[in-house]
Amino acid sequence: MKPFFLNSSIKTKIIIGVIVVLLFASGSISLVNYTFSQKRERKAVLENELPLMLDGLYANIKADFSIPLTVASLIATNPYTFDLLAKEGQNQAKIMEYLQNMQETYSRKNEYTLTTFIASDTTLTRYDGTGMLEQIKPKERQAAWYFDLKNSRKQHTLQTNFREGSFMIFIDLAIVDSAKNFKGIAGVGFYLNDFVERINTYRFYKKAEIYFVDKEGYIKIHSKKRLIQNDTAQQKLAERSIRNIDGISQIAHELLKNPPYENGSEYKNSNGKTILARARFIPELDWFLIVEVEEHEVLEGVYDDLRLNLLIYILAGGIVIVLLIVTLDILVVRQLRKFTKGVFAFFDFLNRKTDYVEPIDIHTNDEFGRMSAEINYQVEQTIQGIERDDALIQDAAELLAVINKGLLSERLKVEPHQPKLLDLKAQFNQMIEHLENQIGTDINEIIEVMQRYGKMNFEKHIANPQGEIEKQVTQMGENIETATEQIQKQKAEIAERNQKITDSIRYAESIQKALLPKTEIIAEGLPNHFIFLRPKDIVSGDFYWYGQTPEKVFLVAADCTGHGVPGALMSMIGNSFFDHIINGKRIYEPSEILENLNQGIIQTLNQEQMENDDGIDLVLCVFNRSDENSKFESIAFSGAKNAMISVSAGQATEHKGSRKKIGGISRKKDIFFETVMIPIQDSMSLYLFSDGFEDQFGNTPKEKYGRERLKELFVRISPMSMAEQRKEVEQTFENWISAGQHAQLDDVLVIGVKIS
């Protein structure tokens, strides 16, 4: 029995061949894409995403520790604290009341509960804001934190301790009078659970592990709650060093290098899973911050892409096969039916089942057309030959009747078609010639010759081909209902994937919002301000950044290339660089800040080799003052393709930035960022903005809001309060979109600041 493939029709063989080719091609392409995507994704995580996550964590950790550190500093340096300790015996109740007030006041300003304490060096008594008194016993291990700080030259220390049924983090500051005499310790603590909850919100990946280790590698704080539920688990964890833990011990020496502060590597854990790890040294804590993520989670998107690509290839292959079947039916099967019909009709004619053969009706300029023309010609020639054969036989029969009457002068003249009839004709004519030569001899001999030749059988020798052309044309009917169910299933899977993508973008939105400075923080340096940020999609390519020192306040309004997820990723890179340049490198000159940012973006995105032209348009303002309690004396401004508008005495002034953007492939080598000093005027308002508002279409399809309308809007709202200004900006934008019934085209950012 022959294999199915060999017994199949031509159409079936073609379809099976196409399916095999499609499966091989789609599988090969998917495998190649998966391999390259896997390498690219792992490299991106180790070199970009985990470092960005560490930078974001570092920035937020500094913010989280700023309030507790500030509160501890206020208590340690407050003259009232020295007065209370001077008469400690009489002021115990006042000390605890003072601590309780500080605790309640600053717990409301922070996102987690604070606890405050003072430890007196005179009586070795620890006063708590909750009303607890505790005696510090020098010989006990629990008192080591007190004497370590007292005997060291450090201004503050960090400790973790198990108090009140929970683990707490304490920031301790030495209380030292003007004569450098040690008076005790002021401290602020907050619950470790709250801090871990905060850390977990900073993760890019849901299963990422975040923890802190000291310089020896001992784990101090871990993001897994199950490790901090009880003191036994935490103590056991604290006693473990990453130098001794299976797997990570292989790369512990790389993670704990200092400097450089950032290193990354990978290892296999006890379950055989590959873990990608990255570390950063936190000088404020004197600890290392380590982030780990399973390679499987990092490559989850690559796996999803592989599955999606395979589904798309299968769907596309199905469509190709359906089209192939239709094409074969139109171009091959229908022609083949006509062809076989004509051939079988010819056989019927040869077998005398029909008297007429209709020519094959195929006139295309292909193999079918040429074969049909050749067969039609051969059929025509065969029919003509058969007609000649029939004529010869008829002529022979008539001539035989004449011979029987004794007339021997006639001969067969018709040229037959078949070779056998040619022999018959020759024999017949030979017989007549023999008879003619024998005339006049014995009559009995003539009769004998007649009888001998009369036994010849003049039958119609018509060629009858042996066998039949067995061509079976198999019609393959695709099961439409099954295909429809498959498409619906694929559609549902794509919808589920889209939902997962949307959920991921929502999670990215929460991360992006967490990275933006809080209004309360900005209000410390710029009390009169408003911010209107409206992304086009869920996440935004527009962002703002704020920072301050005792003498300066920094404010940035930035517009990254594109919007949505690409713009949001660019905004996170820009946010991290501002923190690195201003807070890390302590560069305060606006033009120098922008130049450092420009070089950082170009190097990070490898734009000189990759020819990537993504960048950032922005405005940077630096408000200068003599100290943090004085008024602003001047404003330093620098812009990258974006402008700023100031309004004073009802007049709007536009301050243009450089024509050069941040990042990208710059062809304007002679253009540099410049710092412009802006004098402060009475009741002056500043407006920083991206191009999303002014480029929005409104009344007509081709009418943008424009720069002049924007100036008029700022002049009109400048006398209002900041809350009213924001509401008016938002309402104006809504009305402009509604008037023309247009969708929002780009991210929109407007920041207003009033200088009193």
Side-chain angles (χ1 to χ4, degrees), residues 560-754:
C560 299
T561 300
H563 46 73
V565 174
L569 291 175
M570 197 69 177
S571 73
M572 291 183 181
I573 295 174
N575 198 311
S576 176
F577 267 115
F578 274 118
D579 183 71
H580 176 66
I581 294 169
I582 296 175
N583 293 332
K585 291 186 175 181
R586 301 185 183 276
I587 297 174
Y588 299 151
E589 178 66 20
S591 60
E592 191 177 351
I593 292 172
L594 297 193
E595 188 57 41
N596 272 262
L597 176 62
N598 180 51
Q599 293 302 319
I601 294 294
I602 292 174
Q603 293 173 6
T604 299
L605 300 182
N606 198 16
Q607 292 182 322
E608 293 181 350
Q609 282 75 31
M610 303 298 293
E611 295 185 358
N612 181 311
D613 203 32
D614 293 340
I616 306 175
D617 301 340
L618 60 84
V619 171
L620 167 63
C621 281
V622 181
F623 301 85
N624 300 306
R625 59 191 179 186
S626 58
D627 57 66
E628 59 185 353
N629 297 319
S630 62
K631 294 183 178 180
F632 295 123
E633 299 170 354
S634 64
I635 301 172
F637 158 82
S638 188
K641 293 194 75 174
N642 274 9
M644 179 183 69
I645 294 176
S646 63
V647 177
S648 180
Q651 296 294 325
T653 303
E654 182 176 349
H655 306 277
K656 294 184 177 181
S658 169
R659 289 180 295 147
K660 178 180 179 181
K661 71 176 181 180
I662 300 295
I665 304 171
S666 177
R667 297 173 178 84
K668 302 174 182 179
K669 303 297 183 181
D670 57 340
I671 299 178
F672 304 94
F673 300 111
E674 298 177 354
T675 299
V676 178
M677 300 304 298
I678 301 174
I680 295 179
Q681 304 175 20
D682 293 334
S683 301
M684 184 179 188
S685 295
L686 302 179
Y687 298 95
L688 293 71
F689 52 91
S690 65
D691 60 2
F693 199 130
E694 60 185 347
D695 287 346
Q696 177 64 43
F697 290 111
N699 291 337
T700 64
K702 295 184 179 180
E703 184 179 5
K704 296 182 179 180
Y705 191 85
R707 183 66 57 85
E708 292 304 315
R709 281 196 183 94
L710 203 59
K711 289 180 181 179
E712 294 171 4
L713 172 63
F714 292 155
V715 170
R716 177 164 55 84
I717 68 174
S718 60
M720 302 178 183
S721 68
M722 304 315 289
E724 292 172 338
Q725 288 192 39
R726 187 193 184 285
K727 183 177 180 181
E728 187 65 20
V729 169
E730 181 177 12
Q731 189 61 49
T732 302
F733 185 76
E734 290 287 350
N735 294 342
W736 181 253
I737 290 181
S738 301
Q741 297 181 345
H742 292 289
Q744 184 174 339
L745 300 178
D746 198 359
D747 303 320
V748 176
L749 172 63
V750 179
I751 302 176
V753 177
K754 183 174 290 187

Side-chain angles (χ1 to χ4, degrees), residues 93 113 290 296 310 336 486 528 531 614 622 638 642-643 703 706:
T113 305
I290 298 178
H296 179 77
L310 289 176
L336 190 59
Q486 184 180 7
N528 294 319
I531 298 174
D614 293 340
V622 181
S638 188
N642 274 9
E703 184 179 5

Side-chain angles (χ1 to χ4, degrees), residues 397-570:
E398 293 176 355
L399 185 59
L400 186 60
V402 173
I403 292 173
N404 287 333
K405 294 179 181 180
L407 299 177
L408 303 177
S409 59
E410 297 295 328
R411 300 288 189 273
L412 290 177
K413 298 184 173 91
V414 178
E415 288 296 326
H417 175 66
Q418 296 191 59
K420 290 183 179 180
L421 290 182
L422 282 173
D423 293 340
L424 179 63
K425 175 186 175 183
Q427 292 179 25
F428 196 90
N429 287 337
Q430 182 182 1
M431 179 198 72
I432 297 174
E433 184 176 355
H434 182 74
L435 286 174
E436 186 178 17
N437 292 332
Q438 295 297 324
I439 291 299
T441 60
D442 189 3
I443 189 65
N444 292 327
E445 185 179 352
I446 295 175
I447 293 173
E448 181 183 351
V449 172
M450 288 293 295
Q451 288 177 345
R452 178 159 46 89
Y453 281 97
K455 292 179 181 179
M456 296 182 65
N457 185 11
F458 296 95
E459 296 178 347
K460 296 181 180 179
H461 294 268
I462 301 174
N464 183 20
Q466 300 296 320
E468 299 179 356
I469 299 177
E470 297 179 357
K471 292 288 184 179
Q472 298 181 357
V473 179
T474 304
Q475 297 182 348
M476 296 185 64
E478 290 293 331
N479 192 327
I480 304 301
E481 181 177 355
T482 303
T484 303
E485 291 176 356
Q486 184 180 7
I487 292 172
Q488 291 294 335
K489 181 180 178 182
Q490 293 171 349
K491 184 178 179 182
E493 291 174 351
I494 292 173
E496 181 182 357
R497 174 173 171 78
N498 288 339
Q499 184 60 45
K500 289 182 179 179
I501 293 173
T502 301
D503 292 342
S504 298
I505 296 175
R506 290 289 183 192
Y507 184 71
E509 178 190 18
S510 65
I511 295 175
Q512 187 179 40
K513 287 182 177 179
L515 292 177
L516 292 175
K518 297 179 181 178
T519 302
E520 296 83 0
I521 302 297
I522 299 176
E524 293 177 3
L526 301 171
N528 294 319
H529 79 279
F530 76 84
I531 298 174
F532 172 62
L533 174 61
R534 177 165 167 167
K536 176 184 181 295
D537 301 311
I538 299 174
V539 290
S540 172
D542 289 1
F543 73 96
Y544 53 93
W545 189 89
Y546 172 86
Q548 68 176 17
T549 67
E551 295 81 25
K552 297 180 183 293
V553 172
F554 303 85
L555 183 62
V556 176
D559 181 4
C560 299
T561 300
H563 46 73
V565 174
L569 291 175
M570 197 69 177

Side-chain angles (χ1 to χ4, degrees), residues 161-176:
N161 202 350
F162 188 75
R163 301 182 65 85
E164 302 177 13
S166 300
F167 282 98
M168 300 189 70
I169 301 175
F170 289 94
I171 299 175
D172 302 334
L173 267 74
I175 303 175
V176 182

